[in-house]
Amino acid sequence: MKKFLNQPEAFVDEMLEGLYAAHPRQLQYVADDRRCLVSVARKPGKVGLATGGGSGHLPLFLGYVGRGMLDGCAVGGVFQSPSAQQMYEVTKAIDQGAGVLYIYGNYTGDILNFDMATEMAEMDNIRVLSVVGNDDVASSVQGEEHKRRGVAGIFFVYKAAGAAADEGMPLDEVRRVAEKARLATRTMGVALSSCIVPEVGHATFSIGEQEMEIGMGIHGEPGIRRGPLLPADAVVDEMLKPILAELQLGQGSEVAVLVNGLGGTPQEELYVMYRRIHQVLGEQGVQVAQVHVGEFATAMEMAGASISVIKLDDELKRLVAAPADTPFFRLHPQ
């Protein structure tokens, strides 16, 4: 294992120590716990937005805390859920009197702990609602979407909900927007190599030098097909097919696209993939209103990528294009 580490068990806390030192004007922690991360910015009367999840996925989850997006994040160990107490402390810190919306991925530990944090917050008379991201089309079939994992497409949920909260929408309306974005987003991934969790010290799984796995999850969860590595255009075509079918995209549809590297894929290769996405969408008469290419939800140093597409209406188009400023993502006024 070659990593820039001191002690593996100190990895997350030392990462956070560096993060706060690098971005003191944007981020701070509460409850004397570095894993309870909140935005320095405050907007009285605004709905608070919180997320949480395991480390190892930067910039997901904590990377989207900032103006125009999230207000706080509970940070877990590598691929581990944060505690209910940490979620509760973040909730108390970001409540500005208008309630708090939780947005997080569909993973058992996160669901249990966010539900417990909700109960704790409500005892303090803080109203909390939740939206659970489940954009990964590879993780379950249509009709059983409640079993699907939340992956990179949750970025669009954060973005739309963050803009809605920034506009001053009340809690129920912010939740409606987040739910609309969730329902309009689909993601498919592909992996070329494993990652190494620092405290484990070896690869999570093995995959052949000339193999790929379509649909693998961001923690190494099994995908839907393993086989020989195909040319980029063929890989993109296979990934796009279920996304386009489920979103029922066609002539006149408008979308935003996220091409996400999983941690070990050069950005040049992501643009090779977007080239084919642009071709396919153009052939079907789909208009692309916004494109993001880069790392948005990684899996340590896993080589691979994912494609996320959100189908836009006028409201979602406005909200995903609204300004945002976090340590890991900036979107300037258009």
mmCIF file with all atom_site columns, all heavy atoms in Angstrom, residues 170-187:
data_model
loop_
_atom_site.group_PDB
_atom_site.id
_atom_site.type_symbol
_atom_site.label_atom_id
_atom_site.label_alt_id
_atom_site.label_comp_id
_atom_site.label_asym_id
_atom_site.label_entity_id
_atom_site.label_seq_id
_atom_site.pdbx_PDB_ins_code
_atom_site.Cartn_x
_atom_site.Cartn_y
_atom_site.Cartn_z
_atom_site.occupancy
_atom_site.B_iso_or_equiv
_atom_site.pdbx_formal_charge
_atom_site.auth_seq_id
_atom_site.auth_comp_id
_atom_site.auth_asym_id
_atom_site.auth_atom_id
_atom_site.pdbx_PDB_model_num
ATOM 1   N N   . PRO A 1 170 ? -39.543 27.865 2.108   1.00 0.00 ? 170 PRO A N   1
ATOM 2   C CA  . PRO A 1 170 ? -39.727 27.187 3.401   1.00 0.00 ? 170 PRO A CA  1
ATOM 3   C C   . PRO A 1 170 ? -39.358 25.721 3.315   1.00 0.00 ? 170 PRO A C   1
ATOM 4   O O   . PRO A 1 170 ? -39.171 25.164 2.216   1.00 0.00 ? 170 PRO A O   1
ATOM 5   C CB  . PRO A 1 170 ? -41.216 27.384 3.678   1.00 0.00 ? 170 PRO A CB  1
ATOM 6   C CG  . PRO A 1 170 ? -41.839 27.544 2.337   1.00 0.00 ? 170 PRO A CG  1
ATOM 7   C CD  . PRO A 1 170 ? -40.818 28.253 1.497   1.00 0.00 ? 170 PRO A CD  1
ATOM 8   N N   . LEU A 1 171 ? -39.266 25.058 4.470   1.00 0.00 ? 171 LEU A N   1
ATOM 9   C CA  . LEU A 1 171 ? -38.779 23.685 4.548   1.00 0.00 ? 171 LEU A CA  1
ATOM 10  C C   . LEU A 1 171 ? -39.530 22.728 3.636   1.00 0.00 ? 171 LEU A C   1
ATOM 11  O O   . LEU A 1 171 ? -38.910 21.931 2.920   1.00 0.00 ? 171 LEU A O   1
ATOM 12  C CB  . LEU A 1 171 ? -38.839 23.201 6.005   1.00 0.00 ? 171 LEU A CB  1
ATOM 13  C CG  . LEU A 1 171 ? -38.360 21.775 6.270   1.00 0.00 ? 171 LEU A CG  1
ATOM 14  C CD1 . LEU A 1 171 ? -36.921 21.575 5.821   1.00 0.00 ? 171 LEU A CD1 1
ATOM 15  C CD2 . LEU A 1 171 ? -38.506 21.447 7.751   1.00 0.00 ? 171 LEU A CD2 1
ATOM 16  N N   . ASP A 1 172 ? -40.852 22.783 3.631   1.00 0.00 ? 172 ASP A N   1
ATOM 17  C CA  . ASP A 1 172 ? -41.605 21.836 2.797   1.00 0.00 ? 172 ASP A CA  1
ATOM 18  C C   . ASP A 1 172 ? -41.327 22.042 1.315   1.00 0.00 ? 172 ASP A C   1
ATOM 19  O O   . ASP A 1 172 ? -41.300 21.085 0.542   1.00 0.00 ? 172 ASP A O   1
ATOM 20  C CB  . ASP A 1 172 ? -43.103 21.968 3.083   1.00 0.00 ? 172 ASP A CB  1
ATOM 21  C CG  . ASP A 1 172 ? -43.474 21.417 4.451   1.00 0.00 ? 172 ASP A CG  1
ATOM 22  O OD1 . ASP A 1 172 ? -43.480 20.186 4.607   1.00 0.00 ? 172 ASP A OD1 1
ATOM 23  O OD2 . ASP A 1 172 ? -43.733 22.212 5.366   1.00 0.00 ? 172 ASP A OD2 1
ATOM 24  N N   . GLU A 1 173 ? -41.127 23.295 0.911   1.00 0.00 ? 173 GLU A N   1
ATOM 25  C CA  . GLU A 1 173 ? -40.825 23.581 -0.486  1.00 0.00 ? 173 GLU A CA  1
ATOM 26  C C   . GLU A 1 173 ? -39.404 23.144 -0.845  1.00 0.00 ? 173 GLU A C   1
ATOM 27  O O   . GLU A 1 173 ? -39.162 22.633 -1.946  1.00 0.00 ? 173 GLU A O   1
ATOM 28  C CB  . GLU A 1 173 ? -41.005 25.071 -0.775  1.00 0.00 ? 173 GLU A CB  1
ATOM 29  C CG  . GLU A 1 173 ? -42.436 25.471 -1.024  1.00 0.00 ? 173 GLU A CG  1
ATOM 30  C CD  . GLU A 1 173 ? -42.959 24.875 -2.321  1.00 0.00 ? 173 GLU A CD  1
ATOM 31  O OE1 . GLU A 1 173 ? -42.639 25.396 -3.402  1.00 0.00 ? 173 GLU A OE1 1
ATOM 32  O OE2 . GLU A 1 173 ? -43.688 23.856 -2.248  1.00 0.00 ? 173 GLU A OE2 1
ATOM 33  N N   . VAL A 1 174 ? -38.460 23.342 0.063   1.00 0.00 ? 174 VAL A N   1
ATOM 34  C CA  . VAL A 1 174 ? -37.097 22.885 -0.198  1.00 0.00 ? 174 VAL A CA  1
ATOM 35  C C   . VAL A 1 174 ? -37.079 21.366 -0.331  1.00 0.00 ? 174 VAL A C   1
ATOM 36  O O   . VAL A 1 174 ? -36.419 20.816 -1.225  1.00 0.00 ? 174 VAL A O   1
ATOM 37  C CB  . VAL A 1 174 ? -36.135 23.355 0.909   1.00 0.00 ? 174 VAL A CB  1
ATOM 38  C CG1 . VAL A 1 174 ? -34.735 22.793 0.680   1.00 0.00 ? 174 VAL A CG1 1
ATOM 39  C CG2 . VAL A 1 174 ? -36.072 24.880 0.953   1.00 0.00 ? 174 VAL A CG2 1
ATOM 40  N N   . ARG A 1 175 ? -37.836 20.684 0.534   1.00 0.00 ? 175 ARG A N   1
ATOM 41  C CA  . ARG A 1 175 ? -37.924 19.230 0.405   1.00 0.00 ? 175 ARG A CA  1
ATOM 42  C C   . ARG A 1 175 ? -38.557 18.835 -0.918  1.00 0.00 ? 175 ARG A C   1
ATOM 43  O O   . ARG A 1 175 ? -38.117 17.885 -1.580  1.00 0.00 ? 175 ARG A O   1
ATOM 44  C CB  . ARG A 1 175 ? -38.731 18.630 1.562   1.00 0.00 ? 175 ARG A CB  1
ATOM 45  C CG  . ARG A 1 175 ? -38.761 17.105 1.505   1.00 0.00 ? 175 ARG A CG  1
ATOM 46  C CD  . ARG A 1 175 ? -39.679 16.491 2.555   1.00 0.00 ? 175 ARG A CD  1
ATOM 47  N NE  . ARG A 1 175 ? -39.595 15.045 2.529   1.00 0.00 ? 175 ARG A NE  1
ATOM 48  C CZ  . ARG A 1 175 ? -40.239 14.270 1.667   1.00 0.00 ? 175 ARG A CZ  1
ATOM 49  N NH1 . ARG A 1 175 ? -41.011 14.804 0.722   1.00 0.00 ? 175 ARG A NH1 1
ATOM 50  N NH2 . ARG A 1 175 ? -40.103 12.952 1.722   1.00 0.00 ? 175 ARG A NH2 1
ATOM 51  N N   . ARG A 1 176 ? -39.605 19.552 -1.350  1.00 0.00 ? 176 ARG A N   1
ATOM 52  C CA  . ARG A 1 176 ? -40.249 19.251 -2.635  1.00 0.00 ? 176 ARG A CA  1
ATOM 53  C C   . ARG A 1 176 ? -39.238 19.361 -3.783  1.00 0.00 ? 176 ARG A C   1
ATOM 54  O O   . ARG A 1 176 ? -39.174 18.492 -4.662  1.00 0.00 ? 176 ARG A O   1
ATOM 55  C CB  . ARG A 1 176 ? -41.422 20.207 -2.874  1.00 0.00 ? 176 ARG A CB  1
ATOM 56  C CG  . ARG A 1 176 ? -42.097 20.018 -4.249  1.00 0.00 ? 176 ARG A CG  1
ATOM 57  C CD  . ARG A 1 176 ? -43.066 21.138 -4.567  1.00 0.00 ? 176 ARG A CD  1
ATOM 58  N NE  . ARG A 1 176 ? -42.417 22.444 -4.658  1.00 0.00 ? 176 ARG A NE  1
ATOM 59  C CZ  . ARG A 1 176 ? -41.723 22.857 -5.725  1.00 0.00 ? 176 ARG A CZ  1
ATOM 60  N NH1 . ARG A 1 176 ? -41.560 22.071 -6.776  1.00 0.00 ? 176 ARG A NH1 1
ATOM 61  N NH2 . ARG A 1 176 ? -41.179 24.063 -5.719  1.00 0.00 ? 176 ARG A NH2 1
ATOM 62  N N   . VAL A 1 177 ? -38.434 20.424 -3.763  1.00 0.00 ? 177 VAL A N   1
ATOM 63  C CA  . VAL A 1 177 ? -37.425 20.613 -4.804  1.00 0.00 ? 177 VAL A CA  1
ATOM 64  C C   . VAL A 1 177 ? -36.393 19.483 -4.773  1.00 0.00 ? 177 VAL A C   1
ATOM 65  O O   . VAL A 1 177 ? -36.016 18.925 -5.810  1.00 0.00 ? 177 VAL A O   1
ATOM 66  C CB  . VAL A 1 177 ? -36.738 21.983 -4.632  1.00 0.00 ? 177 VAL A CB  1
ATOM 67  C CG1 . VAL A 1 177 ? -35.448 22.056 -5.458  1.00 0.00 ? 177 VAL A CG1 1
ATOM 68  C CG2 . VAL A 1 177 ? -37.683 23.106 -5.029  1.00 0.00 ? 177 VAL A CG2 1
ATOM 69  N N   . ALA A 1 178 ? -35.921 19.141 -3.577  1.00 0.00 ? 178 ALA A N   1
ATOM 70  C CA  . ALA A 1 178 ? -34.939 18.066 -3.450  1.00 0.00 ? 178 ALA A CA  1
ATOM 71  C C   . ALA A 1 178 ? -35.506 16.743 -3.954  1.00 0.00 ? 178 ALA A C   1
ATOM 72  O O   . ALA A 1 178 ? -34.817 15.976 -4.642  1.00 0.00 ? 178 ALA A O   1
ATOM 73  C CB  . ALA A 1 178 ? -34.491 17.933 -1.997  1.00 0.00 ? 178 ALA A CB  1
ATOM 74  N N   . GLU A 1 179 ? -36.753 16.492 -3.636  1.00 0.00 ? 179 GLU A N   1
ATOM 75  C CA  . GLU A 1 179 ? -37.401 15.257 -4.087  1.00 0.00 ? 179 GLU A CA  1
ATOM 76  C C   . GLU A 1 179 ? -37.576 15.262 -5.602  1.00 0.00 ? 179 GLU A C   1
ATOM 77  O O   . GLU A 1 179 ? -37.386 14.228 -6.264  1.00 0.00 ? 179 GLU A O   1
ATOM 78  C CB  . GLU A 1 179 ? -38.753 15.109 -3.382  1.00 0.00 ? 179 GLU A CB  1
ATOM 79  C CG  . GLU A 1 179 ? -39.444 13.789 -3.613  1.00 0.00 ? 179 GLU A CG  1
ATOM 80  C CD  . GLU A 1 179 ? -38.776 12.604 -2.939  1.00 0.00 ? 179 GLU A CD  1
ATOM 81  O OE1 . GLU A 1 179 ? -37.781 12.789 -2.208  1.00 0.00 ? 179 GLU A OE1 1
ATOM 82  O OE2 . GLU A 1 179 ? -39.240 11.478 -3.160  1.00 0.00 ? 179 GLU A OE2 1
ATOM 83  N N   . LYS A 1 180 ? -37.923 16.410 -6.158  1.00 0.00 ? 180 LYS A N   1
ATOM 84  C CA  . LYS A 1 180 ? -38.050 16.507 -7.616  1.00 0.00 ? 180 LYS A CA  1
ATOM 85  C C   . LYS A 1 180 ? -36.709 16.213 -8.292  1.00 0.00 ? 180 LYS A C   1
ATOM 86  O O   . LYS A 1 180 ? -36.643 15.468 -9.273  1.00 0.00 ? 180 LYS A O   1
ATOM 87  C CB  . LYS A 1 180 ? -38.541 17.895 -8.030  1.00 0.00 ? 180 LYS A CB  1
ATOM 88  C CG  . LYS A 1 180 ? -38.695 18.048 -9.536  1.00 0.00 ? 180 LYS A CG  1
ATOM 89  C CD  . LYS A 1 180 ? -38.788 19.504 -9.973  1.00 0.00 ? 180 LYS A CD  1
ATOM 90  C CE  . LYS A 1 180 ? -40.181 20.055 -9.823  1.00 0.00 ? 180 LYS A CE  1
ATOM 91  N NZ  . LYS A 1 180 ? -40.312 21.386 -10.508 1.00 0.00 ? 180 LYS A NZ  1
ATOM 92  N N   . ALA A 1 181 ? -35.630 16.796 -7.745  1.00 0.00 ? 181 ALA A N   1
ATOM 93  C CA  . ALA A 1 181 ? -34.301 16.550 -8.307  1.00 0.00 ? 181 ALA A CA  1
ATOM 94  C C   . ALA A 1 181 ? -33.912 15.083 -8.174  1.00 0.00 ? 181 ALA A C   1
ATOM 95  O O   . ALA A 1 181 ? -33.335 14.491 -9.096  1.00 0.00 ? 181 ALA A O   1
ATOM 96  C CB  . ALA A 1 181 ? -33.270 17.442 -7.624  1.00 0.00 ? 181 ALA A CB  1
ATOM 97  N N   . ARG A 1 182 ? -34.225 14.491 -7.043  1.00 0.00 ? 182 ARG A N   1
ATOM 98  C CA  . ARG A 1 182 ? -33.919 13.063 -6.838  1.00 0.00 ? 182 ARG A CA  1
ATOM 99  C C   . ARG A 1 182 ? -34.610 12.203 -7.878  1.00 0.00 ? 182 ARG A C   1
ATOM 100 O O   . ARG A 1 182 ? -33.995 11.325 -8.496  1.00 0.00 ? 182 ARG A O   1
ATOM 101 C CB  . ARG A 1 182 ? -34.351 12.635 -5.438  1.00 0.00 ? 182 ARG A CB  1
ATOM 102 C CG  . ARG A 1 182 ? -34.098 11.162 -5.127  1.00 0.00 ? 182 ARG A CG  1
ATOM 103 C CD  . ARG A 1 182 ? -34.721 10.741 -3.815  1.00 0.00 ? 182 ARG A CD  1
ATOM 104 N NE  . ARG A 1 182 ? -36.168 10.658 -3.891  1.00 0.00 ? 182 ARG A NE  1
ATOM 105 C CZ  . ARG A 1 182 ? -36.845 9.612  -4.383  1.00 0.00 ? 182 ARG A CZ  1
ATOM 106 N NH1 . ARG A 1 182 ? -36.194 8.566  -4.860  1.00 0.00 ? 182 ARG A NH1 1
ATOM 107 N NH2 . ARG A 1 182 ? -38.167 9.602  -4.381  1.00 0.00 ? 182 ARG A NH2 1
ATOM 108 N N   . LEU A 1 183 ? -35.888 12.446 -8.089  1.00 0.00 ? 183 LEU A N   1
ATOM 109 C CA  . LEU A 1 183 ? -36.668 11.642 -9.030  1.00 0.00 ? 183 LEU A CA  1
ATOM 110 C C   . LEU A 1 183 ? -36.240 11.841 -10.476 1.00 0.00 ? 183 LEU A C   1
ATOM 111 O O   . LEU A 1 183 ? -36.471 10.977 -11.323 1.00 0.00 ? 183 LEU A O   1
ATOM 112 C CB  . LEU A 1 183 ? -38.156 11.962 -8.878  1.00 0.00 ? 183 LEU A CB  1
ATOM 113 C CG  . LEU A 1 183 ? -38.801 11.515 -7.563  1.00 0.00 ? 183 LEU A CG  1
ATOM 114 C CD1 . LEU A 1 183 ? -40.192 12.107 -7.418  1.00 0.00 ? 183 LEU A CD1 1
ATOM 115 C CD2 . LEU A 1 183 ? -38.854 9.986  -7.479  1.00 0.00 ? 183 LEU A CD2 1
ATOM 116 N N   . ALA A 1 184 ? -35.591 12.972 -10.752 1.00 0.00 ? 184 ALA A N   1
ATOM 117 C CA  . ALA A 1 184 ? -35.201 13.306 -12.126 1.00 0.00 ? 184 ALA A CA  1
ATOM 118 C C   . ALA A 1 184 ? -33.769 12.922 -12.450 1.00 0.00 ? 184 ALA A C   1
ATOM 119 O O   . ALA A 1 184 ? -33.293 13.196 -13.557 1.00 0.00 ? 184 ALA A O   1
ATOM 120 C CB  . ALA A 1 184 ? -35.398 14.803 -12.359 1.00 0.00 ? 184 ALA A CB  1
ATOM 121 N N   . THR A 1 185 ? -33.059 12.265 -11.507 1.00 0.00 ? 185 THR A N   1
ATOM 122 C CA  . THR A 1 185 ? -31.632 11.986 -11.664 1.00 0.00 ? 185 THR A CA  1
ATOM 123 C C   . THR A 1 185 ? -31.357 10.487 -11.721 1.00 0.00 ? 185 THR A C   1
ATOM 124 O O   . THR A 1 185 ? -31.899 9.715  -10.934 1.00 0.00 ? 185 THR A O   1
ATOM 125 C CB  . THR A 1 185 ? -30.834 12.602 -10.496 1.00 0.00 ? 185 THR A CB  1
ATOM 126 O OG1 . THR A 1 185 ? -31.087 14.008 -10.441 1.00 0.00 ? 185 THR A OG1 1
ATOM 127 C CG2 . THR A 1 185 ? -29.338 12.370 -10.682 1.00 0.00 ? 185 THR A CG2 1
ATOM 128 N N   . ARG A 1 186 ? -30.490 10.103 -12.639 1.00 0.00 ? 186 ARG A N   1
ATOM 129 C CA  . ARG A 1 186 ? -30.039 8.717  -12.749 1.00 0.00 ? 186 ARG A CA  1
ATOM 130 C C   . ARG A 1 186 ? -28.535 8.683  -12.957 1.00 0.00 ? 186 ARG A C   1
ATOM 131 O O   . ARG A 1 186 ? -27.969 9.543  -13.621 1.00 0.00 ? 186 ARG A O   1
ATOM 132 C CB  . ARG A 1 186 ? -30.712 8.001  -13.931 1.00 0.00 ? 186 ARG A CB  1
ATOM 133 C CG  . ARG A 1 186 ? -32.230 7.904  -13.859 1.00 0.00 ? 186 ARG A CG  1
ATOM 134 C CD  . ARG A 1 186 ? -32.691 6.954  -12.767 1.00 0.00 ? 186 ARG A CD  1
ATOM 135 N NE  . ARG A 1 186 ? -34.137 6.738  -12.826 1.00 0.00 ? 186 ARG A NE  1
ATOM 136 C CZ  . ARG A 1 186 ? -35.048 7.548  -12.317 1.00 0.00 ? 186 ARG A CZ  1
ATOM 137 N NH1 . ARG A 1 186 ? -34.655 8.667  -11.706 1.00 0.00 ? 186 ARG A NH1 1
ATOM 138 N NH2 . ARG A 1 186 ? -36.332 7.282  -12.404 1.00 0.00 ? 186 ARG A NH2 1
ATOM 139 N N   . THR A 1 187 ? -27.900 7.619  -12.405 1.00 0.00 ? 187 THR A N   1
ATOM 140 C CA  . THR A 1 187 ? -26.445 7.455  -12.491 1.00 0.00 ? 187 THR A CA  1
ATOM 141 C C   . THR A 1 187 ? -26.103 6.012  -12.821 1.00 0.00 ? 187 THR A C   1
ATOM 142 O O   . THR A 1 187 ? -26.773 5.089  -12.363 1.00 0.00 ? 187 THR A O   1
ATOM 143 C CB  . THR A 1 187 ? -25.768 7.842  -11.153 1.00 0.00 ? 187 THR A CB  1
ATOM 144 O OG1 . THR A 1 187 ? -26.048 9.202  -10.854 1.00 0.00 ? 187 THR A OG1 1
ATOM 145 C CG2 . THR A 1 187 ? -24.255 7.644  -11.213 1.00 0.00 ? 187 THR A CG2 1
#
